Amino acid sequence: MGMQSFDKKGEIAVRKSDVSVAKNYLNESEMELLGLLVEQYLAFAETMAQQRTPMYMQDWIQRLDAILQINGRELLAHAGKISHQKALEKSTLEYDKYRQTQKQIQREESLKELEHDIQRIILPGKSGNSDE
């Protein structure tokens, strides 16, 4: 599905709600850069709060744009080419394909395990296990 941010150990399955979160598609270095930008923005916000400087929403937007530009990031000046609804539909479709693939893999693993168990019962001592 192209997701980058999820439990790589496989202990927690990818959830449907995960696929609609854009940051889940960032690689490790992109996530680190995003974290640094957030730290800078929060440090600025903390400075304004400590100085008791009133800030309005437009001020916050301008400061965020400035922080992004200082860091050489391009500002998105339009809504983009893909609507939020289309992005959700696409991610849901891809998730459904992913789940079907995962179910097929689980079925195959279950069948292999069942075949192995049947072989152990039919041919005791030939399964390679030394504890029987």
Side-chain angles (χ1 to χ4, degrees):
M1 291 188 323
M3 286 185 55
Q4 301 288 327
S5 302
F6 59 93
D7 185 1
K8 303 283 195 273
K9 298 175 192 160
E11 295 171 6
I12 299 173
V14 175
R15 296 177 303 254
K16 192 171 189 172
S17 60
D18 294 333
V19 301
S20 63
V21 178
K23 71 174 181 59
N24 286 338
Y25 294 89
L26 300 178
N27 64 36
E28 188 174 346
S29 65
E30 291 168 328
M31 284 294 290
E32 287 176 11
L33 287 173
L34 179 60
L36 291 171
L37 288 170
V38 169
E39 281 181 38
Q40 291 174 27
Y41 192 63
L42 292 176
F44 167 74
E46 187 173 350
T47 300
M48 294 295 102
Q50 287 181 358
Q51 294 174 353
R52 299 189 187 284
T53 303
M55 296 284 291
Y56 303 96
M57 188 55 69
Q58 190 59 39
D59 298 326
W60 289 112
I61 292 168
Q62 289 172 353
R63 297 301 178 148
L64 177 58
D65 288 351
I67 289 171
L68 291 171
Q69 289 175 323
I70 287 169
N71 282 278
R73 309 305 292 180
E74 187 178 336
L75 297 180
L76 183 62
H78 53 80
K81 297 175 185 157
I82 300 173
S83 72
H84 179 69
Q85 185 59 38
K86 286 195 184 293
L88 288 177
E89 290 169 6
K90 173 70 172 170
S91 64
T92 298
L93 180 67
E94 291 301 316
Y95 176 78
D96 291 342
K97 287 184 205 175
Y98 166 79
R99 287 301 303 146
Q100 289 301 321
T101 302
Q102 292 304 108
K103 285 180 182 179
Q104 182 62 31
I105 290 170
Q106 289 173 346
R107 279 192 287 268
E108 290 172 6
E109 288 174 357
S110 294
L111 284 174
K112 285 179 185 177
E113 188 176 319
L114 184 59
E115 287 174 4
H116 178 71
D117 290 345
I118 290 171
Q119 288 297 324
R120 256 192 11 218
I121 292 169
I122 294 174
L123 303 168
K126 299 219 179 209
S127 64
N129 292 342
S130 59
D131 59 344
E132 295 184 77

